């Protein structure tokens, strides 16, 4: 196990400031300072060249501002999410990973602060979430993103309809006859029988594993755990770049052979797999899973950052970083890994110093912030790391 979170922050951490804004040094307050960064209420402060007169906003304040932005700007009040702001340009919906990422942020807010104000919204989202019966036409990754979000709704609110919808989504994936086909049938197609380009994506598999493990945590059903372990092993066989070790996102299966597209290291799927390793280690008592999670998280730290150590999401512009934040938080709290604490603090400092006047975050933690349109995919990572 790593050193404790308090010990990791006890000496204080100084971080390189935003090179875009030229902010200089950003200080994360040490234990015992005014604004203790190790305090459980998130009172640690972030500012550029902090002074006693102007210590800057606290992480708690930045997180609360993000929660207000979610609830008052991106949520439409009727169980749907706006996919961008200003309004009128993007869709408004409650399905697939853009909207699911915002739902997961409400869950994460509740998890980290016990904020009761998010619960009515989560209950309303459970009502409007898509129900996926057998024979529905959809992409497998979309259904699995929904399943995870529905299980998070259930964990926070106890909504039975959310749990029923998640169970239906898992059943849909397990029984659709066109998904587990091709030359590598252990991996599901994104669309049945390889429609729309022969694509198989770890977005499906990693969310399937996460949903199975959440179902196991909720119900204790041994079949959920067993299936999650089997799927986890398949993902590592096909998608893990062992020399790194990070998970690439895409496979193309033409029915005769399978080709994995290397180097597509999405934050979302690597976060899902790190989280799964921690959860599997807890569920099984097997420390190998935790070692694998730590290895991937360290690869994220060392290989997917810029020169100042800030995470750089250089993949698709609709990748979401929230699952990676959640994974690092799990390593920091459950597994008490000091390097994960430091990674979170480095990225929180960068993101907190780079928001626009509305408090919106850009795709990159160290800037620039949105100048016009802010999308759910852009905002997800900054909001998550603040929380």
């Amino acid at each position: 196990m790593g050193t404790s979170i308090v010990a990791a922050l006890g000496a204080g951490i100084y971080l390189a400031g935003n090179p875009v804004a030229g902010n200089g040094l950003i200080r994360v307050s040490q234990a015992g300072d005014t604004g203790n960064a190790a305090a459980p209420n998130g009172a640690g402060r972030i500012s550029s060249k902090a002074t006693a007169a102007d210590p800057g906003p606290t992480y708690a304040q930045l997180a609360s501002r993000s929660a207000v932005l979610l609830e008052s700007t991106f949520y439409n009040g009727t169980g749907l999410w706006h996919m961008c702001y200003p309004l009128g340009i993007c869709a408004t919906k409650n399905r697939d990973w853009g909207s699911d990422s915002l739902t997961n942020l409400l869950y994460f807010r509740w998890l980290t602060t016990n904020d009761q104000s998010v619960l009515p919204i989560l209950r309303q989202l459970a009502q409007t979430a898509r129900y996926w019966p057998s024979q529905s036409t959809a992409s497998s990754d979309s259904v699995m993103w929904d399943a995870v979000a529905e299980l998070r709704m259930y964990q926070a609110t106890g909504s039975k309809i959310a749990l029923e919808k998640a169970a239906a989504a898992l059943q849909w994936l397990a029984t659709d006859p066109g998904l587990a086909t091709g030359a590598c049938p252990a991996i599901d197609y994104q669309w049945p029988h390889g429609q729309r380009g022969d694509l198989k994506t770890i977005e499906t598999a990693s969310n399937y594993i996460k949903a199975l493990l959440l179902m196991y945590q909720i119900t204790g059903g041994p079949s959920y755990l067993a299936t999650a372990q089997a799927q986890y092993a398949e993902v590592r066989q096909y998608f893990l770049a062992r020399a790194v070790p990070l998970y690439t996102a895409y496979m193309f299966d033409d029915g005769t052979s399978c080709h994995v597209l290397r180097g597509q290291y999405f934050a979302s799927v690597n976060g899902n797999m790190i989280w799964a390793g921690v959860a599997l280690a807890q569920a099984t008592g097997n420390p190998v899973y935790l070692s694998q999670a730590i290895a991937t998280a360290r690869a994220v730290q060392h290989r997917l950052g810029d020169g100042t150590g800030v995470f750089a999401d250089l993949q698709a512009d609709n990748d979401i970083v929230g699952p990676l934040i959640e994974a690092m938080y799990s390593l920091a709290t459950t597994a008490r890994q000091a390097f994960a604490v430091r990674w979170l603090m480095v990225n929180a400092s960068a993101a907190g110093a780079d928001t626009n006047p509305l408090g919106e975050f850009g795709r990159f933690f160290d800037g620039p912030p949105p100048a016009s349109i802010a999308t759910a995919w852009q905002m997800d990572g900054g909001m998550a790391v603040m929380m």
Side-chain angles (χ1 to χ4, degrees):
M1 293 296 182
T3 56
S4 73
I5 294 174
V6 173
L9 298 176
I13 303 173
Y14 287 80
L15 309 175
N18 171 21
V20 176
N23 284 333
L25 288 179
I26 299 172
R27 183 165 186 260
V28 179
S29 305
Q30 64 182 2
D33 285 356
T34 301
N36 176 7
N41 64 359
R45 295 183 183 274
I46 173 175
S47 73
S48 60
K49 300 179 181 177
T51 66
D54 181 19
T58 67
Y59 289 114
Q61 290 168 338
L62 291 167
S64 294
R65 185 172 68 174
S66 292
V68 170
L69 189 64
L70 267 178
E71 296 174 21
S72 64
T73 300
F74 282 83
Y75 186 63
N76 83 334
T78 67
L80 300 174
W81 290 109
H82 299 301
M83 292 294 94
C84 69
Y85 184 82
L87 308 179
I89 301 171
C90 301
T92 299
K93 59 182 182 176
N94 185 20
R95 62 179 293 270
D96 206 3
W97 64 346
S99 60
D100 293 334
S101 71
L102 302 183
T103 298
N104 290 337
L105 282 173
L106 289 182
Y107 162 80
F108 201 46
R109 172 71 174 171
W110 171 82
L111 176 69
T112 55
T113 67
N114 195 32
D115 184 348
Q116 299 294 298
S117 72
V118 307
L119 299 182
I121 300 176
L122 287 170
R123 292 189 186 100
Q124 194 169 32
L125 288 165
Q127 295 295 322
T128 61
R130 178 71 180 269
Y131 179 75
W132 294 106
S134 60
Q135 308 305 313
S136 298
T137 300
S139 66
S140 57
D141 60 315
S142 176
V143 178
M144 288 301 98
W145 285 110
D146 286 1
V148 170
E150 288 152 3
L151 289 166
R152 291 311 199 189
M153 295 174 203
Y154 174 81
Q155 287 181 312
T157 69
S159 168
K160 291 183 179 179
I161 193 170
L163 187 61
E164 291 170 0
K165 288 177 177 179
L170 290 173
Q171 182 69 10
W172 177 90
L173 187 76
T175 57
D176 189 294
L179 296 176
T181 58
C184 300
I187 304 299
D188 290 310
Y189 278 113
Q190 185 180 47
W191 291 91
H193 303 291
Q195 301 167 16
R196 309 189 188 187
D198 296 334
L199 178 63
K200 295 183 171 184
T201 170
I202 191 179
E203 292 164 26
T204 296
S206 66
N207 279 292
Y208 186 36
I209 295 165
K210 191 169 189 175
L212 289 165
L213 288 169
L214 290 173
M215 272 293 207
Y216 174 73
Q217 292 172 2
I218 291 165
T219 69
S223 64
Y224 292 120
L225 178 58
T227 306
Q229 288 179 278
Q231 286 289 311
Y232 179 90
E234 296 288 358
V235 167
R236 287 185 66 82
Q237 177 183 343
Y238 286 101
F239 291 100
L240 182 66
R242 301 184 188 283
V244 181
L246 294 163
Y247 297 87
T248 193
Y250 299 134
M251 171 194 290
F252 294 93
D253 183 340
D254 63 6
T256 302
S257 62
C258 306
H259 169 68
V260 174
L261 187 61
R262 302 294 179 187
Q264 304 299 301
Y265 302 135
F266 281 35
S268 55
V269 297
N270 278 278
N272 281 346
M273 293 304 293
I274 294 167
W275 183 93
V278 177
L280 282 169
Q282 282 187 292
T284 65
N286 185 346
V288 171
Y289 289 120
L290 180 58
S291 296
Q292 292 167 347
I294 290 171
T296 296
R298 285 195 174 278
V300 169
Q301 178 188 31
H302 294 303
R303 294 177 176 269
L304 300 185
D306 63 17
T308 66
V310 176
F311 177 71
D313 192 13
L314 300 178
Q315 301 299 328
D317 61 6
N318 63 348
D319 187 20
I320 57 174
V321 184
L324 181 59
I325 302 301
E326 184 182 353
M328 290 294 195
Y329 178 79
S330 180
L331 278 174
T333 56
T334 301
R336 302 186 71 79
Q337 294 294 315
F339 82 93
V341 177
R342 183 177 181 85
W343 186 92
L344 286 166
M345 300 302 285
V346 166
N347 286 283
S349 291
D354 273 301
T355 61
N356 66 19
L358 295 177
E360 296 170 333
F361 300 92
R363 180 178 169 197
F364 299 105
F365 289 143
D366 54 0
S372 55
I373 298 172
T375 72
W377 299 274
Q378 286 177 313
M379 295 281 291
D380 172 70
M383 287 185 168
V385 78
M386 285 303 105
M387 294 177 184

